[in-house]
Amino acid sequence: MQAFHLDMQKVSFALSFLKGITLTWFKPDLLDNTPGTDPAWVDNYSNDAKHQLNNLLMKDGSHINKYIIEFNCLATQVCGYGEDALHHMFYNGLLDRIKDEIAHIALLLIWRIFLQAVQYLLQHLLLVFCWQREEPSAPILLYS
């Protein structure tokens, strides 16, 4: 059985431990019961996460896993960014050598697709040529 059934009960319990300057800082927000208004510190937290996410850079010598965890942690704290924007921010924060490797792999994939398309066109042209000469033959595979 849970001790707190509602999130508000959890928050109230945690707030009961505030004292001194912390209580003074949160007190106006605790006493304001206006529905639909968030305290100022909620916006600042979100803006801080947006700022950190926009300026997140993978450090030289660090592991990609650490960068991914930091990025995902910040990305879950912001809203309003689409998937494309998050992909762009993630890519921009990577080290240049990793970006170069990604570009190299992408070029290799594009080149392979291009070669397959050329192979298909050449086979098609060979079939048309053989058909026009009325000498059907099996197509020759140039690349595999």
Side-chain angles (χ1 to χ4, degrees), residues 68-109:
I68 291 170
I69 290 169
E70 288 176 9
F71 182 88
N72 287 336
C73 182
L74 291 170
T76 59
Q77 297 173 28
V78 298
C79 56
Y81 288 134
E83 191 172 323
D84 290 338
L86 290 173
H87 286 172
H88 180 73
M89 283 188 272
F90 180 83
Y91 181 80
N92 281 345
L94 291 172
L95 291 172
D96 287 340
R97 61 183 168 83
I98 294 176
K99 291 179 195 176
D100 292 342
E101 190 65 27
I102 290 171
H104 179 72
I105 291 169
L107 285 175
L108 289 176
L109 291 173

Side-chain angles (χ1 to χ4, degrees), residues 130-142:
C130 291
W131 180 73
Q132 287 177 348
R133 294 188 65 187
E134 297 181 356
E135 297 175 12
S137 70
I140 300 170
L141 294 177
L142 301 175

Side-chain angles (χ1 to χ4, degrees), residues 13-117:
F13 177 74
L15 294 175
S16 69
F17 290 99
L18 297 180
K19 294 180 183 174
I21 191 83
T22 310
L23 179 60
T24 305
W25 196 73
F26 280 100
K27 199 172 200 175
D29 296 326
L30 298 175
L31 298 176
D32 183 17
N33 291 332
T34 309
T37 59
D38 290 329
W41 51 267
V42 171
D43 291 335
N44 290 340
Y45 180 73
S46 177
N47 288 337
D48 185 46
K50 285 181 183 180
H51 177 72
Q52 288 180 25
L53 187 61
N54 286 326
N55 295 305
L56 182 64
L57 296 173
M58 185 177 172
K59 292 161 186 61
D60 198 19
S62 67
H63 293 281
I64 187 72
N65 293 344
K66 182 177 180 185
Y67 175 72
I68 291 170
I69 290 169
E70 288 176 9
F71 182 88
N72 287 336
C73 182
L74 291 170
T76 59
Q77 297 173 28
V78 298
C79 56
Y81 288 134
E83 191 172 323
D84 290 338
L86 290 173
H87 286 172
H88 180 73
M89 283 188 272
F90 180 83
Y91 181 80
N92 281 345
L94 291 172
L95 291 172
D96 287 340
R97 61 183 168 83
I98 294 176
K99 291 179 195 176
D100 292 342
E101 190 65 27
I102 290 171
H104 179 72
I105 291 169
L107 285 175
L108 289 176
L109 291 173
I110 290 169
W111 181 248
R112 183 166 178 86
I113 291 168
F114 172 74
L115 288 177
Q116 290 173 346

